[in-house]
Structure formats: C-alpha cells, structure tokens
C-alpha cells in the first residue's frame, strides 16, 4: 500500500488530496463551533445532532483518520527523503521566495498533530477530565412527538407519571456548552488551544495555494489570487477557532455557569 | 573598487574543501563576475598558485555552464541573469562576497566551483526529445499552433539546464528543470504522441538520479536565470498524474 512513497509526484498528490479532505472538515468544524455564540441550546442541539448521525459520524471519522495517517506518514517520509539530498548548506543562507510558512510545514504539522491528540482526549473521549463524561443537560424537546415512547425520557422528571404517550418532552443530552466553558476557563488550556490554532492557520496559509499547485492548477491570474486567498483562509481559520477560548477567558461566554 | 572574495577551494571530489579569502583591488564595475574571476586567476597564476576552477562557455547567458552560488544564491542576487551576465556594479566597494559551488549530492564537486551536472543530461536522454522522424521543415502554416501556446512553449524552452533550480531548492529537487523540458514538448503538437511516456520517464529518471521532491517553496523560480515559472511544475504534475492513470507509474 505504501509503494506510492517511491514516487515523488504521487506522494505530493497524496499530501494534497488528504490535505483537501482535512481542510473540508476543519472548515466545517470551525464554523460549527461558532454556534456557541448563539447560546447553550444552539450548541448542545448541534452536538446532539452530530452524535445522532451514528454510522455516518463513524464513517466520517474513519475517512478523516485515514487521511490524517496518510498525510502524516507521507510528510515525514518526504521530509526525511528530501533532507538527505542537499545535506551541505551554503556559507550564506538566503531565501528569496521560500516563505517561512512553507519551510516550517513539518514543524507546524507535528505540533498540530500533537495538539490534535490532546484535543481528542479532552473534548471527544473526555479522558483528560473524566467529569466531562458526566455533564448532562436536562432540556425540553419542542420537536418531540407528544405521543410515542422515547428511551431518553428522564426518570428524574417523573416523566413516567404522565403515562405512555405523553412524556417525551423532557429529555437529557450531553452538556457540550458547559464542558467547553469549563475547559476554556483554565487559562493554560485556553492559551494552548489558541497557540495551536495559530500554528494551524500558519500551516494552512501555505497549504491551500500549495495544494492547487500540486494538483496542477496554476495560472498567471489564478495563482496570485490563490496565494491571497490562502493567507486569508489561514487567518480566518485561526481567528474562528481562537475566538471561542478567547471569549470564555474574557468572560463573554459562560459567565453564568 | 575593492572586494573581499571568499572562495570555496576543493582540489578534487574526495577532498574536504574550505573557504579561502582573496582580496582584489582595482576591480572595475564594468567587469562581469567571470571577468573578475579571470583577473583573480591571473594573479594566482603569476604567484604560482592554483587558479580557481570554474565553468564558462558562451559568456552571454545562453549555455548555462557558469552556474555557481554567490552569497547563497545560484547565479547571484541579480534576478533573471546568469553569473556571466552579472556585473560588478551590482556590488559595493569593500563588499564581502561568498562564492561556492552548487551543493547537491547529485552534482558532486569536481574541483573548486566546478560540479558534475551530467545528471541533467541523463534526464534529457530519458525523454527530452521527439522520436518521430520529421524530415525537412514543413510549411510554417501546415501545423497551426495558437499564439498563446507557442509563447508558453517558448517560455519553457528558455531553460538552459544550468542546474540552479536544484541547487537553490532546499529539497534539491530538479522539478523546475524537468517541468520546463517536459512542457516545451508536451505543449506542442509534435510532443503529443509521447506526452504521457515523456512525463513519466523524465520524472522517473529524476527520482533515480537522487533528486528530491517538490515542496512548493518556489525557490527554484527565484533563482532561475531564465525566470522559468513554477506554473510549468503544475503542468508537469498534471501531465504526470494523467500518465500515472493512463499507464501506471
Ligand atoms: C497532523 C499533523 C500534520 C503534519 C505532520 C503535517 C505535515 C505537512 C507537511 C510536511 C506538508 C508539506 C509537504 C511537502 O510539500 O513536502 C503538509 C502540507 C499540507 N497540509 Fe499538513 N500536516 C498536518 C496537519 C494538517 C492539517 C490539520 C491540515 C488541514 C487542516 C493540513 C493540510 C495540509 C495541506 C492542504 C497541505 C498541502 C499539500 C500540498 O502541498 O499539496 N495538514 N502538511
Ligand atoms: S557562460 Fe554560458 S550562460 Fe554563463
């Protein structure tokens, strides 16, 4: 399966194709997160909706995980291979066009990867702070049918007292909002997240335009514009992610909790 | 003007080289960089020292033999010019100038600033030609080619194979060279029948020679004395991916 690593252009294509997949996910994730500004109900509804996708969610996780694994293996292989080609540096080192962001892709990449592991343990598997597993919110489901039986009915609300067919209005779901606010009220965790998403924006500011070049799309008007879009996209992603921990730290979100 | 030249001296491929300082007085700003090195060599020969070995041929920027690294940049800081086209007026009186050979595992140093670039010739041999026997020149209008395509093919054909792209690339990739050579055929009707095979064979030869892969740093484009654009690398990527689907890798 990893035979493609012997072909430099195919390896680059794998970098671009897996990167494109991750970019799609990251874009959706960043925009989805912004729902925290619409309030607790909006965020928790969104989170519960994602959980309710079940198999679709798992399919997405597998594809994304595969994309990450290929992206990381290929990048490390390419880097080690390329480093051996010109081991001796010049007496004077000067770069004219190679931007800092392009020369640090492997380092920003590795830092993003390490952050990703922490992030998944923190908010997805919730093993860093196991109390997040037990954070639940009791809410009223306005859309639930008035009749019919629902497993998620809260015993504690005495919903059963209403009798079959009348109760599925009071439900419980994971309180993502409270978890995020609690997580980001820790200044170190917030600063860590902010640093990581700035590095991510930096990685992407080179990556987007690089991806088009790798896929063979380059033109005298297209490419200068794409370089600008790439930079803007990197800044947008960094801001869209960073504004959430920043808002919690500054008390704009979750004061009442 | 007076300059301090820090020149890489290395007697042969196996020897360990070092930087040697030579101070040159009375350098004329009208001299080309190579003429300045000629003056240095005359002085060295008069003193009975070994002259600095470097390559040159046309001295008018079209043969590509004079590639060397000046202050960290192949062909020096003047954009779009070879070393033979670089003049001393681009430097200031009292400047320190570092002159080194290309540093690349595929371009071993033969002596001083002189490197072995035959790997580029072998890449050309792998596919930088059209194998149809074309006979005598046809009428100019027998084979219509749109102006835009003709111009683009000419831009690619500007490549003089000097090696600066691979020497400038942090990965030591020769993609700009291969891209220019592949594109100048693949853009034109005469190159079509072997389009996929050519892209594949020349990239394969580049890999087998030991050149690195492209990370889109674009340092090659900045160093290229013929301003070959990295858009040809994008085209090569396209042609190669097409070939990989069509013929396998
Ligand atoms: C998880 C750890 C990561 C590592 C180790 C990593 C490493 C790299 C490296 C070294 C490159 C340049 C490859 C080369 O040109 O030689 C690269 C390119 C790229 N990365 Fe990442 N990266 C990571 C995460 C990400 C993430 C999270 C995204 C997207 C949100 C991403 C998107 C891209 C894209 C689109 C490219 C451009 C591919 C191309 O140039 O064609 N990467 N990555
Ligand atoms: S000597 Fe021919 S290009 Fe410089």
């Amino acid at each position: 399966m990893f035979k493609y690593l012997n072909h430099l252009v195919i390896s680059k294509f794998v970098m671009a194709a897996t990167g494109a997949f991750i970019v799609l996910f990251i874009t959706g994730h960043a925009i989805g997160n912004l729902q925290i500004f619409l309030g607790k109900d909006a965020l928790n509804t969104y989170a519960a909706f994602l959980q309710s996708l079940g198999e679709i969610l798992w399919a997405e996780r597998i594809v994304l995980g595969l994309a990450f694994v290929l992206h990381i293996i290929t990048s490390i292989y390419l880097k080690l291979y390329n480093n051996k080609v010109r081991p001796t540096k010049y007496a004077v080192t000067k770069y004219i066009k190679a931007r800092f962001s392009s020369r640090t892709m492997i380092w920003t990449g590795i830092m993003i990867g390490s952050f990703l592991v922490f992030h998944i343990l923190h908010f997805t598997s919730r093993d860093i702070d196991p109390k997040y597993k037990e954070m639940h919110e009791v809410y009223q489901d306005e859309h639930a049918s008035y009749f019919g039986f629902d497993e998620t009915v809260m015993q504690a609300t005495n919903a059963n007292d209403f009798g079959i067919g009348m109760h599925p209005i009071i439900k419980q779901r994971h309180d993502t909002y409270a978890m995020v606010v609690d997580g980001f009220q820790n200044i170190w965790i917030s600063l860590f997240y902010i640093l990581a998403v700035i590095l991510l924006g930096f990685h992407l500011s080179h990556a987007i335009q690089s991806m088009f070049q790798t896929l063979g799309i380059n033109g005298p008007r297209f490419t200068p514009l794409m370089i600008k879009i790439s930079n803007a996209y990197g800044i947008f992603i960094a801001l869209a992610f960073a504004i959430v921990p920043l808002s919690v730290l500054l008390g704009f979100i979750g004061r009442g909790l | 003007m007076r300059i301090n030249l820090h020149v890489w001296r290395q007697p042969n491929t196996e020897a360990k080289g070092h930087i040697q300082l030579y101070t040159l007085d009375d350098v004329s700003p009208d001299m080309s960089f190579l003429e300045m090195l000629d003056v240095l060599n005359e002085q060295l020969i008069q003193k009975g020292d070994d002259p600095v070995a470097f390559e040159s041929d046309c001295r008018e920027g079209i043969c590509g033999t004079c590639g060397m690294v000046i202050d960290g940049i192949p062909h020096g800081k003047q954009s779009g010019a070879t070393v033979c086209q670089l003049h001393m007026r681009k430097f200031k009186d009292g400047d320190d100038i570092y002159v080194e050979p290309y540093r690349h595992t595929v371009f071993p140093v033969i002596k001083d600033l002189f490197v072995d670039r035959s790997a580029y010739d072998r890449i050309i041999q792998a596919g930088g030609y059209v194998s149809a026997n074309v006979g005598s020149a046809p009428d100019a209008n027998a084979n219509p080619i749109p102006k835009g395509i003709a111009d683009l093919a000419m831009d690619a054909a500007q490549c003089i194979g000097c090696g600066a792209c691979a020497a400038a690339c942090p990965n030591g990739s020769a993609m700009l060279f291969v891209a220019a050579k592949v594109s100048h055929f693949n853009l034109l009707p005469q190159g079509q029948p072997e389009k996929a095979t050519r892209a594949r064979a020349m990239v394969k030869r580049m890999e087998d020679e030991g050149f690195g892969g492209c990370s889109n740093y674009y340092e090659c484009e900045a160093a290229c004395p013929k301003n070959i654009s990295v858009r040809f690398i994008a085209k090569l990527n396209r042609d190669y991916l097409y070939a990989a689907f069509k013929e396998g890798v």
Side-chain angles (χ1 to χ4, degrees), chain B residues 27-38:
Chain B
V27 172
S28 155
D30 295 331
M31 285 178 181
S32 75
F33 200 86
L34 296 185
E35 284 162 347
M36 181 275 295
L37 288 179
D38 291 338

Side-chain angles (χ1 to χ4, degrees), chain B residues 77-94:
Chain B
K77 62 186 167 184
Q78 187 181 356
S79 139
T82 52
V83 176
C84 57
Q85 302 294 94
L86 172 67
H87 287 83
M88 296 313 292
R89 54 181 166 270
K90 297 284 171 183
F91 297 91
K92 289 195 303 287
D93 190 34

Side-chain angles (χ1 to χ4, degrees), chain B residues 34 56-66 82-84 160:
Chain B
L34 296 185
S56 78
D57 187 8
C58 69
R59 297 214 175 190
E60 56 180 22
I62 56 168
C63 75
T65 52
C66 59
T82 52
V83 176
C84 57
I160 52 178

